[in-house]
Amino acid sequence: MITGKAKLAGVIGFPVSHSLSPVIHNYWLSTYKVDGAYVPLTVAPQKFKGAVMGLRDAGFMGANVTVPHKEAAAKLADTLSPTAEKTGAVNTLVFLPDGAIHGDNTDGYGFIQNLKAGCPTYKKHLGRVVILGAGGAARAIAVALAETGAQEMLIVNRTEKNAKKLIKDLALNAEPVAWNHAESALKNATLLVNTTTLGMVGQQPLELSLKALHDNALVTDIVYRPLKTDLLKRAEKRKLKIVDGLGMLLHQARPGFAAWFGKNPTVDAALLKHVLGAMK
Ligand code: ATR
């Protein structure tokens, strides 16, 4: 039930209609019987700052921020978490009681928590890590993997200069690799992460031979439409361990929910079933 005292939060994007965040947060609100609501907020870039200030002034607890506002959110926040500071991107805003706006980036946390849930021995796969892509998601994931102890990291990207920029901006100990050298970069890799949109419904396929990967490699994709991407299917055929991308979305939502609604939510089979139902 929503009363006059309900706590409010939402997701700000442009567009936002495809976002699964309202499905996730409202599931938890109902499961934990929290007096609150979480709504989708379509906000054009030029209106972003005004909208955030308005939500704060209207008493919202905070908001998630998605494409294309993540960098603007980092600029607008009064304080940033170390990860948000490093990546220059914010996906979770928390409005503090004194009116200050705190920004966090929970994408890397979501990525690692998903890896852990899908492959409890994931730390054994941090020897030679190959990341495909150098966009916003790759930034958060590269930082998280470096902090978790990746020994060697290669960033393979279509536009090599973007991989170089990512490594420089984040001060990472990593090597940029041009896309046409991707297959040789996979040699003996123990973890392969796809952060590009290749393989997503409606996008081009990800054509990459997995032959060179280490026989004990772990392969994960942040694409979750389809849930089992062609990359994951091919990895499975090679008898490699796989982790799909939906859990990253579920886990990245947890810190925001805890900050706004005061309960630490869990990611379980019932939530997964609920979200998969909403995706159909
Ligand atoms: P996100 O925030 O989800 O990471 P993004 O910042 O737009 O999205 O990044 C998309 C990534 O997918 C980039 O690394 C992009 O490569 P470029 O830097 O060359 O643009 C990669 N990507 C997108 N389409 C691609 C394609 N057809 N082939 C190879 N890489 C592609």
Side-chain angles (χ1 to χ4, degrees):
M1 188 177 69
I2 299 174
T3 73
K5 291 180 189 159
K7 290 177 174 169
L8 304 174
V11 53
I12 310 171
F14 193 70
V16 85
S17 58
H18 289 92
S19 173
L20 287 168
S21 292
V23 175
I24 299 168
H25 287 278
N26 285 302
Y27 173 87
W28 282 331
L29 286 169
S30 118
T31 303
Y32 299 114
K33 298 190 172 48
V34 175
D35 182 13
Y38 183 103
V39 292
L41 300 155
T42 307
V43 177
Q46 64 275 21
K47 303 275 187 191
F48 178 72
K49 190 172 180 183
V52 171
M53 299 304 177
L55 291 172
R56 180 197 58 184
D57 295 346
F60 269 56
M61 304 305 291
N64 281 126
V65 176
T66 186
V67 178
H69 301 307
K70 289 185 179 182
E71 285 79 21
K75 292 202 177 93
L76 177 153
D78 299 302
T79 55
L80 292 174
S81 70
T83 315
E85 175 101 52
K86 198 153 196 191
T87 55
V90 157
N91 73 344
T92 305
L93 290 170
V94 179
F95 303 145
L96 301 172
D98 65 357
I101 299 177
H102 180 70
D104 193 4
N105 187 333
T106 66
D107 285 334
Y109 168 83
F111 174 81
I112 297 289
Q113 291 300 310
N114 183 41
L115 216 53
K116 192 175 173 184
C119 177
T121 59
Y122 74 101
K123 285 201 174 165
K124 289 192 181 149
H125 297 269
L126 300 180
R128 181 174 163 99
V129 174
V130 177
I131 297 178
L132 304 176
R139 283 180 178 247
I141 289 170
V143 168
L145 283 171
E147 283 172 357
T148 313
Q151 287 164 25
E152 194 187 350
M153 201 184 291
L154 296 102
I155 313 283
V156 181
N157 199 45
R158 172 179 62 179
T159 313
E160 199 182 356
K161 77 167 177 7
N162 292 345
K164 286 184 178 154
K165 188 169 184 322
L166 178 153
I167 292 166
K168 187 165 176 266
D169 289 353
L170 303 176
L172 283 179
N173 180 14
E175 197 184 307
V177 177
W179 197 265
N180 55 346
H181 291 128
E183 285 174 16
S184 51
L186 294 192
K187 193 158 187 254
N188 284 327
T190 49
L191 175 64
L192 172 64
V193 187
N194 176 43
T195 76
T196 74
T197 48
L198 296 172
M200 190 189 292
V201 172
Q203 303 287 332
Q204 288 173 301
L206 172 48
E207 282 158 356
L208 182 67
S209 165
L210 303 183
K211 258 194 214 130
L213 281 175
H214 192 286
D215 286 340
N216 194 28
L218 168 62
V219 178
T220 185
D221 202 330
I222 72 160
V223 171
Y224 56 82
R225 287 180 215 259
L227 191 59
K228 197 179 275 183
T229 59
D230 185 55
L231 172 73
L232 296 181
K233 282 185 187 161
R234 287 188 291 114
E236 212 172 37
K237 260 194 200 143
R238 246 213 73 182
K239 307 231 180 331
L240 303 174
K241 294 194 185 74
I242 61 165
V243 174
D244 69 58
L246 188 57
M248 175 177 168
L249 180 77
L250 306 181
H251 283 281
Q252 64 76 33
R254 287 170 46 210
F257 190 90
W260 308 319
F261 301 116
K263 285 241 183 324
N264 265 321
T266 53
V267 168
D268 58 15
L271 171 66
L272 191 63
K273 190 172 169 219
H274 181 72
V275 174
L276 285 171
M279 278 167 67
K280 278 192 188 130

